[in-house]
Amino acid sequence: MAKKLYIKTYGCQMNVYDSARMADVLASLGYGTAETPADADMVILNTCHIREKASEKVFSELGRLRQARAERKQTGADMIIAVAGCVAQAEGAEILRRAPDVDIVLGPQTYHRLPEMVARATRARGAKDGNGRRGAGVLDTDFPPESKFDHLPAPSADQAVSAFLAVQEGCDKFCTFCVVPYTRGAEFSRPVTQVIQEARALVAAGAREINLLGQNVNAYHGEAPDGSEWGLGRLVRHLADSVDGLLRIRYTTSHPRDMDDDLIAAHAEVPQLMPFLHLPVQSGSDRVLEAMNRQHTARLYYEIVDRLRAARPDMALSSDFIVGFPGESETDFAATMKLVEDIGFAQAYSFNYSIRPGTPGAAMENQVPEAVKDERLQRLQAVLNAQQVEFNRAMIGRVLPVLLEKPGKRPGQLVGRSPYLQAVHVMADPSGIGRVVDLHIDDIGHFSMSGSRVAPEPRVIRSNPASLQEAVA
Ligand code: SAH
Ligand code: SF4
Ligand code: F3S
């Protein structure tokens, strides 16, 4: 019987991408997909360390897996348990100590070595002691000299309409609150040719939208075929021009300091590039931004937003905010509220500052009490939610190009995404999946919008004359 794999993914989109790549690697060892952990011969937890709550989840999940594994053993089956991702990188040895059922702990830069780890873990089963405990688990949290991307197999043949493609990984910015530079390692960009090859494979397998990923994606500086270095703007232009059938391009997550002129200009010039940008600001106070080592001011953020909106008047923004960073005063927080009011966000994530061991912020003395954080977060989220509702409401009566992605919940319905990632439902034939159609937005619900067709004519949605793509509405 074919072996089955179950991957549970926490955290950011990079982890979602990585989980798919781990599944690709293990497919070459004969692993298919399990519907539940109980059905799986191997379970991978792909973990996130960004806030305390995120990383705590891992140990409770491991408790459940231990139980599931015990039940499988009663039927003569077994389960390999692996922990991957950022908690694995940060707390690998601790995981093996606290959870002896774990067979493999692997960091984000070693996923190409999975086959070898599975072989070692399987051999280690022979070394179990009388209590049913395993021999020492396999721990691989190296930052190897080789790039995993040079060794991972091509993405699998069946892709969703919207796909992720990691172009950059790691971070050299060292914001004082953040674990990412420690868990993902130094900033690294994949070569242009590799990115284009993967993009073509994704589109050939059904993708129509590609979201370029990186912890610091606009710090991208990949090697071009001629040996020069390209920034993200150049890469986006090249993808738009040279990957036929690619209808939409997005990129995330960007850092304000790396929003260079070329990338901003690409928003004006590349029609495939969506007018929606996730640009985390964290705080509106220069004093706090300085303490966070963000390497930008509130003024720089305002300026970038102005330039983006000048390049693309329909540009909408999303952001991340941290409330209650050490030393944040009521005046500092007021500056964050003012920035939110001034800019106006279509969508945002906001969090209480979470102390992360080993980061400079953890050692700062002027920590803000939890109750103060909670109260500020509530005020911030009230404004951000109101802005989001207002942004969505403003779509009613408008016509938006919607990329149809998959069947909706109701029979005969499809669901797609607007340029602003709003889910839009429409009654339409499944043959529309993978196409961009103009939809009149009739109404908005809590989580989605409903639309109806407006454009009876085929609509040209690429302006590049070399490779015109038509979408039939
Ligand atoms: N690379 C991105 C963000 C990566 S982490 C950037 O530079 O903005 C995603 C978000 O998690 C961050 O934007 C931040 O808002 C939040 N975050 C990171 N560390 C945190 C911490 N210690 N406490 C609370 N939120 C945190
Ligand atoms: Fe973390 Fe800052 Fe790097 Fe973003 S830029 S990943 S917040 S250290
Ligand atoms: Fe979490 Fe690591 Fe992503 S800490 S947010 S999974 S880079």
Side-chain angles (χ1 to χ4, degrees):
M1 230 178 43
K3 289 171 288 185
K4 286 188 174 169
L5 168 70
Y6 186 90
I7 306 185
K8 183 155 183 176
T9 307
Y10 303 82
C12 63
Q13 291 154 324
M14 184 73 89
N15 265 9
V16 174
Y17 174 85
D18 285 342
S19 289
R21 305 319 304 279
M22 285 192 270
D24 291 337
V25 175
L26 291 168
S28 66
L29 299 189
Y31 280 90
T33 310
E35 297 301 322
T36 64
D39 294 333
D41 301 281
M42 177 163 180
V43 175
I44 303 178
L45 301 183
N46 195 5
T47 62
C48 173
H49 196 56
I50 201 81
R51 284 171 292 274
E52 194 179 355
K53 274 207 189 98
S55 41
E56 272 172 356
K57 288 183 191 155
V58 178
F59 288 100
S60 49
E61 187 63 35
L62 283 173
R64 281 191 286 275
L65 283 181
R66 186 193 182 119
Q67 185 64 34
R69 177 168 171 255
E71 282 162 23
R72 277 179 70 80
K73 289 191 84 167
Q74 284 172 1
T75 69
D78 203 350
M79 180 192 283
I80 296 176
I81 300 176
V83 181
C86 290
V87 181
Q89 188 65 45
E91 298 177 3
E94 160 99 354
I95 292 170
L96 287 179
R97 200 173 51 74
R98 272 176 66 180
D101 263 76
V102 170
D103 300 277
I104 300 173
V105 169
L106 72 167
Q109 303 309 332
T110 63
Y111 296 154
H112 57 299
R113 295 176 176 173
L114 250 175
E116 164 190 339
M117 293 182 222
V118 172
R120 274 168 61 200
T122 312
R123 279 199 303 275
R125 286 193 166 166
K128 268 184 292 191
D129 68 26
N131 302 324
R133 288 168 57 122
R134 308 280 170 90
V138 175
L139 176 73
D140 190 348
T141 49
D142 279 0
F143 289 107
E146 77 274 10
S147 157
K148 66 182 171 193
F149 297 108
D150 295 343
H151 301 276
L152 288 166
S156 61
D158 203 9
Q159 285 295 327
V161 168
S162 181
F164 292 131
L165 198 175
V167 299
Q168 180 279 339
E169 196 172 349
C171 181
D172 295 338
K173 295 265 187 327
F174 290 92
C175 300
T176 51
F177 52 80
C178 184
V179 296
V180 171
Y182 312 96
T183 62
R184 293 278 165 171
E187 213 264 283
F188 165 82
S189 296
R190 292 176 73 184
V192 172
T193 312
Q194 212 178 65
V195 172
I196 300 291
Q197 263 170 13
E198 190 165 320
R200 289 208 171 108
L202 289 169
V203 172
R208 294 292 171 267
E209 170 178 279
I210 290 181
N211 196 336
L212 304 173
L213 297 184
Q215 268 86 35
N216 228 218
V217 71
N218 56 343
Y220 180 83
H221 57 107
E223 188 187 312
D226 64 3
S228 67
E229 262 186 11
W230 286 9
L232 189 65
R234 185 94 192 260
L235 182 73
V236 162
R237 287 169 209 272
H238 189 58
L239 276 163
D241 289 343
S242 65
V243 181
D244 280 348
L246 179 57
L247 305 180
R248 288 184 167 182
I249 301 172
R250 304 177 185 275
Y251 58 92
T252 198
T253 297
S254 298
H255 191 285
R257 252 206 32 184
D258 296 318
M259 284 311 299
D260 64 22
D261 293 344
D262 189 45
L263 185 55
I264 293 174
H267 278 280
E269 293 155 19
V270 179
Q272 293 93 326
L273 190 54
M274 289 294 99
F276 185 48
L277 184 64
H278 183 61
L279 191 62
V281 64
Q282 316 298 356
S283 167
S285 155
D286 285 344
R287 229 174 51 85
V288 173
L289 289 169
E290 169 94 45
M292 287 176 164
N293 188 32
R294 283 293 288 180
Q295 305 172 42
H296 67 81
T297 56
R299 168 87 2 239
L300 181 78
Y301 194 86
Y302 282 96
E303 281 168 17
I304 291 165
V305 171
D306 283 348
R307 284 162 60 208
L308 282 164
R309 285 178 171 157
R312 201 59 222 238
D314 58 348
M315 189 75 162
L317 287 145
S318 144
S319 200
D320 290 343
F321 296 88
I322 294 179
V323 165
F325 186 76
E328 184 189 77
S329 67
E330 194 50 44
T331 313
D332 294 319
F333 180 66
T336 301
M337 293 292 274
K338 178 166 184 337
L339 182 138
V340 171
E341 300 279 4
D342 288 346
I343 303 258
F345 292 94
Q347 198 258 336
Y349 300 95
S350 46
F351 316 92
N352 279 350
Y353 170 65
S354 169
I355 297 176
R356 306 311 291 132
T359 60
M364 291 181 185
E365 276 165 14
N366 39 7
Q367 300 288 337
V368 174
E370 285 306 312
V372 175
K373 291 183 199 170
D374 286 343
E375 188 270 333
R376 286 181 189 163
L377 186 65
Q378 270 184 28
R379 278 192 276 159
L380 176 63
Q381 289 184 339
V383 179
L384 290 169
N385 288 341
Q387 289 188 346
Q388 181 168 4
V389 169
E390 191 188 332
F391 180 81
N392 288 341
R393 285 222 151 271
M395 300 292 148
I396 298 178
R398 282 181 55 186
V399 172
L400 293 178
V402 172
L403 174 58
L404 298 174
E405 291 189 2
K406 57 189 177 197
K409 280 213 180 95
R410 289 202 225 127
Q413 198 184 48
L414 296 183
V415 57
R417 296 270 173 190
S418 77
Y420 308 114
L421 289 179
Q422 297 145 313
V424 185
H425 288 88
V426 62
M427 299 306 286
D429 189 79
S431 64
I433 290 174
R435 290 181 174 174
V436 175
V437 294
D438 278 344
L439 296 183
H440 179 272
I441 304 303
D442 301 329
D443 199 6
I444 64 165
H446 208 60
F447 294 108
S448 70
M449 304 178 166
S450 53
S452 50
R453 295 280 175 102
V454 287
E457 299 299 318
R459 207 168 54 86
V460 175
I461 59 167
R462 282 188 60 157
S463 64
N464 173 10
S467 51
L468 280 179
Q469 292 281 326
E470 288 185 343
V472 181

